[in-house]
Amino acid sequence: MTLQQLKYVIEVAGRGSMNEAAKRLFISQPSLSNAIRDLEDEIGITIFERTNKGISLSKEGAEFLSYARQVVEQAELLENRYLGAKPSPQHFSVSTQHYAFAVNAFVNLVREYGQEEYEFALRETKTYEIIQDVKTLRSEIGILYLNEFNAKVMGRLLKDAGLAFNSLFTAKPHIFISIHNPLAKQSIVTIDQLHEYPYLSFEQGEYNSFHFSEEILSTLSHPKSIRVNDRATLFNLLIGLNGYTISTGVLSADLNGNEIIPVPLDCGESINVGWICHKDAVLSKLALAYVEELKRATTE
């Protein structure tokens, strides 16, 4: 087993494609494939599962990748310390539901750990895709919520994918509305009071099941309903149409301004927001730092 082979595995996992990884590594695709197969034969596991649709990490491969990253990071530290080598670009990716605190934590991570060169990714995406991203290690960390309604379905999906859920905080539901909304002056609002306002929610694509909804109380009917794909559009509609959405109540004035405010929603539900990762993974330095930034962003 060589350090070069470990770097090959990391690159292939990050690109999700032998061809793309080969281009980035400036070697031929057959040479890369042979190097990976030689490594698999040597260690006795299948790192990547090959199908007609492409490649994906096996369960054993995901665990191997987490250790490979640790070894490569330590080797680069030695090279930088004793050989004066140029630091390699740092890599880190997170997939998340549409939470302002996740963005805020990401900003702080980049400010603290961003070198002259880095390749980070922040994917605000659909719930099912978050699970798939972390399962295939396209992202090292995923952020989503569990509650009484979706916990059974989501828990089974996470278990089948070999992922673990780590709680960040539990929140009571709030609505996000414009400061100009007539409900903005209330200390708490009821579900009945919301009927005349447009309900805004995030589109979940082909996995548009109630259990994948980013908003709790997803089974309620709404006379006025709009689905969107991104947080900026949702916030514009909150202001332009006096709409509302249901979330945790955690906002960042630094990133979102002061036009949107949270107001408590009168219901007996709760939201357990947390981060997911591979159950047997050894988290990278950047992943551990990001988790700490998440904790800081949700407790300040």
Side-chain angles (χ1 to χ4, degrees), residues 77-300:
L77 287 175
L78 284 172
E79 290 176 355
N80 298 340
R81 175 67 177 85
Y82 294 105
L83 301 179
K86 179 182 178 182
S88 299
Q90 297 187 93
H91 295 263
F92 176 68
S93 179
V94 58
S95 295
T96 177
Q97 292 178 329
H98 298 78
Y99 295 125
F101 67 80
V103 179
N104 198 34
F106 189 83
V107 169
N108 291 336
L109 178 78
V110 176
R111 287 174 174 169
E112 180 69 21
Y113 291 94
Q115 299 176 338
E116 290 184 2
E117 295 184 24
Y118 55 82
E119 188 172 323
F120 292 170
L122 173 62
R123 303 187 69 241
E124 285 191 334
T125 188
K126 302 173 178 64
T127 302
Y128 183 82
E129 291 180 3
I130 294 170
I131 296 173
Q132 292 304 303
D133 282 353
V134 180
K135 177 183 176 181
T136 61
L137 282 177
R138 181 180 186 184
S139 289
E140 194 172 356
I141 296 287
I143 303 168
L144 44 74
Y145 82 89
L146 301 180
N147 72 339
E148 186 176 357
F149 175 72
N150 73 1
K152 187 173 183 179
V153 171
M154 296 290 285
R156 185 173 66 248
L157 281 173
L158 294 175
K159 182 179 179 181
D160 290 346
L163 306 180
F165 177 85
N166 306 273
S167 180
L168 275 173
F169 66 94
T170 299
K172 290 296 182 181
H174 288 65
I175 61 168
F176 287 162
I177 55 176
S178 163
I179 57 173
H180 304 295
N181 189 299
L183 299 175
K185 296 181 180 180
Q186 296 195 195
S187 60
I188 192 169
V189 298
T190 66
I191 292 173
D192 289 341
Q193 288 177 299
L194 298 172
H195 284 316
E196 65 179 282
Y197 300 99
Y199 169 68
L200 307 176
S201 61
F202 287 107
E203 172 67 47
Q204 295 298 323
E206 63 179 299
Y207 296 95
N208 218 21
S209 159
F210 293 133
H211 295 97
F212 291 105
S213 173
E214 287 195 37
E215 303 78 23
I216 69 164
L217 306 174
S218 56
T219 58
L220 293 179
S221 61
H222 304 276
K224 304 174 183 178
S225 179
I226 302 173
R227 289 178 180 169
V228 301
N229 283 315
D230 64 89
R231 194 156 43 90
T233 299
L234 182 137
F235 279 13
N236 287 336
L237 295 178
L238 291 183
I239 297 171
L241 297 177
N242 265 345
Y244 74 94
T245 192
I246 302 174
S247 191
T248 63
V250 180
L251 271 176
S252 172
D254 291 340
L255 295 176
N256 303 119
N258 298 308
E259 288 291 306
I260 305 296
I261 61 170
V263 178
L265 179 62
D266 185 14
C267 73
E269 301 283 338
S270 62
I271 308 170
N272 185 8
V273 180
W275 55 277
I276 60 174
C277 66
H278 267 274
K279 184 172 58 177
D280 300 319
V282 178
L283 293 180
S284 68
K285 178 184 71 174
L286 289 174
L288 291 171
Y290 183 67
V291 170
E292 290 304 311
E293 291 296 342
L294 284 173
K295 293 176 181 178
R296 190 173 296 113
T298 54
T299 55
E300 290 179 347

